[in-house]
């Protein structure tokens, strides 16, 4: 148990020294525990870079470590009981959420978590396409992802659909697209991107270019705004057009749709460890309730197990 706790602390803090401080040990003692684990496992578990990172074998034991620590914390809380004066500490859970969800419908989940007691929740912002990788490595216990097929050892529940529509402020739309939102204008109109990994705008540009037979399309200058709320604000201010999710549409006339056909849908799923964990059950309910309240399609009650 102490070896697993040490491995988890080293990966979370990124160094043997920081882990030693948190565990109230010497760095030498932490190093000795890691070496003992590696001898038992028969392979190297961590690469001593800065920050320290887990090897493939280390990730397997890291997942085990976090599962054992979660269940241990819940057992301790159950043994102490709610009436006891002894504080068993909080049960720590890590989840991954994409930026657009975090800035919109997931706010209701945060409100739900505020009513929970005995939980310490760490939310990692991660692109919905890559969140399943964090589940696979054991870095998180639950994640909002676009992957329907459950990661091994996880269950998957459909949350619903986030719909993105090409939008701009009225003045920008009139200047660059005219009253008819001429598709040929898509090549010259400035666009707002979330970051350089964001492909919604360029995918839409290429789709429209293919439909109208534009060859050798050269995109206009782009703006990159890596914050969901400020991204929408940048579109409202007229920096460019952008793919805005329905749940973030200001709905006050500050944005208009450019073309009814210029839209993209992303189906979201909630994946979590398949553990008999009261903490994960509570967080799962909060997330599903928030998605339903936001008007996403609503969860499918049938779980797909991996």
């Amino acid at each position: 148990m102490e070896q697993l706790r040490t491995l988890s602390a080293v990966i979370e803090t990124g160094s043997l020294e920081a882990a030693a401080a948190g565990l109230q040990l010497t760095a030498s003692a932490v190093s000795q525990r890691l070496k003992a684990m590696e001898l038992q496992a028969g392979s190297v578990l961590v690469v001593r870079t800065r920050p320290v990172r887990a090897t493939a074998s280390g990730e397997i034991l890291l997942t085990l470590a976090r599962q054992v620590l979660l269940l241990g914390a819940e057992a301790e809380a159950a043994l102490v009981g709610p009436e006891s004066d002894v504080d068993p500490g909080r049960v720590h859970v890590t989840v991954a959420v994409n930026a657009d969800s975090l800035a919109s419908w997931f706010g209701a989940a945060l409100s739900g978590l505020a009513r929970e007691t005995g939980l310490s929740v760490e939310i990692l912002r991660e692109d919905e396409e890559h969140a399943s990788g964090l589940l696979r490595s054991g870095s998180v216990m639950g994640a909002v992802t676009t992957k329907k097929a459950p990661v091994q050892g996880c269950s998957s529940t459909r949350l619903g659909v986030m719909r993105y529509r090409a939008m701009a402020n009225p003045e920008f739309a009139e200047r660059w697209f005219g009253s008819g939102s001429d598709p040929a204008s898509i090549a010259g109109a400035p666009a707002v991107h979330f970051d350089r990994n964001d492909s919604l705008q360029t995918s839409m540009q290429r789709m429209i270019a293919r439909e109208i037979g534009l060859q050798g399309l050269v995109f206009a200058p782009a703006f990159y705004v890596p914050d969901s709320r400020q991204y929408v604000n940048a579109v409202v201010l007229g920096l460019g057009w952008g793919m805005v999710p329905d749940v973030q549409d200001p709905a006050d006339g500050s944005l208009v749709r450019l073309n009814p056909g210029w839209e993209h849908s992303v189906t979201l799923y909630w994946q979590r460890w398949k553990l008999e964990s009261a903490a994960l059950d509570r967080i799962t309910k909060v997330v599903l309730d928030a998605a339903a309240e936001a008007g996403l399609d609503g969860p499918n009650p049938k779980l797909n197990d991996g």
Side-chain angles (χ1 to χ4, degrees), residues 35 64 84 89 123 131 135 146 161 170 200 208 218 258 261:
K35 288 178 181 177
L64 173 63
S84 173
I123 298 174
L135 278 170
T146 57
V161 176
L200 280 179
I208 296 169
V218 177
L258 296 178

Side-chain angles (χ1 to χ4, degrees), residues 7 22 25 32 49 64 112 118 140 184 281 288:
L7 175 64
L25 297 171
Q32 288 173 9
T49 53
L64 173 63
V140 298
D281 288 345
L288 298 185

Side-chain angles (χ1 to χ4, degrees), residues 74 90-93 113 116-121 279-280 282-283:
E74 290 188 336
R90 289 179 174 267
V91 177
H92 185 74
V93 178
L113 290 174
E116 295 286 349
T117 58
L119 281 180
S120 171
V121 182
L280 285 178
R282 286 152 62 190
I283 291 175

